[in-house]
Amino acid sequence: MRPKLLTKFKLQLPLSPLNMRWSAFRNAGLGIAAMLYITVDYLRHISPQLHSRLQPALWSLLVIAAVARVPSYRHWSAEFRAAIPFVASMIFMLATLLYEAVSVRSVTAVLGLDWHRENHPLPDTGQWLFLALNEKLPSAIVDILRARIIGLHHYLMLFMMLAFSVLFDSVRAPGFGLGARYMFTMAIGRLLRTITFASTILPSPRPWCAASRFKVPNHPHRWAQKYYVPYTSDHNAISQVIKQDIAYVDIGKPIGDHRPDWGSMSFLIDFLRPTASEGSWFSLLTKAGGGCNDLLYSGHMLVAVLTAMAWTEAYGGFSSALVWLLVIHSAQREIRERHHYSVDCIVAIYVGILIWKMTGFIWSQQDRRPTKFEKIQSRLIQASKDSDIDKMRELLKETELSSEEIKNQPAMRHARLFSGVTIGFALIIVVLALILTSDG
């Protein structure tokens, strides 16, 4: 009786040295796959022909490995429970992205193209530092710092790999729980970012950006004509508006803007400021991109930091240190290439860390509910040591009854359907992320 019981329910006894080495290799697999993905993708800059062969082969191998693990995955019930928070987080994320897109266009358009042409970039000591280091460091190191090793879509793919690794028990299930926390945290970060950069309009580190990317009027919006323009350069006017606390200058009739018929969405005209050659409000938002003001703080760095935080908490190990090195490399490139000021990257790093720390209630590596078998495991091991067959039979019978109740539920059929839909949906998201973020 005793051998039969012990083979039916495997006790988690200490691993042999051989098993420990295999377990360590299996746990290192995610880190190896992630670094291999970054390396293969960088080949596009070195050998495009080799990259075109290796990248499809690598992704095919990863997809096959993930699909092969689906039948043996044991946590579909946990995934099902986490599906609703995941969908809610996705909807919240899409709403914040819509608000961000409107604000990005608005802060670029409100002052007009003339303001963007005439205003100089802000002094940035980080930019000075990297220019000085270029003169001091060996050229090989400077080339590494300049190299486009990793971009926005890489960080998104690294998180996808992290979430999928629940299939291999490398990360605690449910993967939907981890995804819900990632998207909810990112949505909060994007919302705070949008409120921040829309509060005070800062000039871009690239003064030519607005004229080359946006078709907005040259003159300021009528709000800026009344409340900003008269009080920009005249010291006496600034002093008077501070004392009187009213916009006392009479500007006469303000210069108007083109006003298309957008129906119920016409309220967006004052924010988007379309020209006669542009189309609908939706087409304007899809072309918003990253904007042409300084958007404090960096959205790219927020994604990078959240990916690194998720990787560190869920997986850890040596690969997490490599991910943080990539985050630092991305930050210096954002400053070096003048996509952002230094302050944007610094603020994004500590905001991302703090927000991630505050959302552990959604998913946490330490927050794990023990299974029925894990609850009795210590008592079962003790009964085995004491050769108490009756006690072992009693404990295992409790577990058998619990398992039979779960298996007899009609929901098991729906769980299998849910697993298929989940894998298909996740693969579609991966493909869309690759396509839509391939340009950063």
Side-chain angles (χ1 to χ4, degrees), residues 43-197:
L43 288 176
R44 72 173 69 223
H45 304 293
I46 301 174
S47 176
Q49 185 176 7
L50 183 60
H51 170 266
S52 64
R53 295 177 180 177
L54 290 181
Q55 189 188 49
L58 175 62
W59 279 115
S60 299
L61 180 63
L62 294 176
V63 170
I64 292 173
V67 172
R69 290 286 300 180
V70 171
S72 60
Y73 187 56
R74 301 171 298 168
H75 306 288
W76 288 115
S77 58
E79 299 289 352
F80 187 79
R81 290 192 299 269
I84 294 178
F86 177 81
V87 173
S89 298
M90 180 179 290
I91 294 173
F92 181 35
M93 178 68 179
L94 292 175
T96 57
L97 289 177
L98 177 61
Y99 172 53
E100 183 183 46
V102 173
S103 300
V104 164
R105 168 86 184 197
S106 177
V107 297
T108 301
V110 67
L111 293 174
L113 291 181
D114 288 341
W115 182 87
H116 291 275
R117 295 189 188 102
E118 296 168 0
N119 277 270
H120 303 293
L122 300 175
D124 187 346
T125 55
Q127 295 170 0
W128 307 348
L129 173 63
F130 290 123
L131 289 175
L133 289 176
N134 290 345
E135 300 173 356
K136 303 294 184 181
L137 294 175
S139 59
I141 296 179
V142 175
D143 289 340
I144 293 175
L145 294 176
R146 290 172 176 169
R148 298 186 175 184
I149 298 174
I150 189 168
L152 175 63
H153 63 290
H154 294 107
Y155 287 111
L156 294 175
M157 288 302 103
L158 286 177
F159 178 77
M160 288 289 188
M161 295 172 70
L162 183 70
F164 267 94
S165 66
V166 298
L167 295 172
F168 303 89
D169 292 326
S170 297
V171 173
R172 188 183 71 81
F176 270 153
L178 177 59
R181 181 179 180 184
Y182 185 75
M183 285 198 297
F184 181 80
T185 307
M186 191 181 298
I188 292 293
R190 307 295 291 207
L191 179 62
L192 294 177
R193 172 182 184 250
T194 304
I195 294 172
T196 302
F197 72 67

Side-chain angles (χ1 to χ4, degrees), residues 219-291:
H219 61 274
H221 187 269
R222 67 177 187 274
W223 300 337
Q225 293 177 45
K226 180 177 181 180
Y227 299 111
Y228 171 72
V229 174
Y231 316 105
T232 55
S233 57
D234 187 339
H235 292 187
N236 182 61
I238 297 173
S239 176
Q240 288 299 317
V241 77
I242 293 174
K243 291 179 181 179
Q244 299 184 30
D245 197 25
I246 59 171
Y248 68 89
V249 175
D250 183 10
I251 64 170
K253 184 178 180 179
I255 304 174
D257 291 337
H258 172 67
R259 300 191 69 84
D261 183 12
W262 285 350
S264 60
M265 304 302 292
S266 294
F267 70 94
L268 290 176
I269 293 175
D270 284 322
F271 299 98
L272 303 183
R273 299 193 73 195
T275 58
S277 62
E278 292 180 299
S280 66
W281 63 272
F282 183 77
S283 65
L284 292 183
L285 293 182
T286 56
K287 294 185 293 185

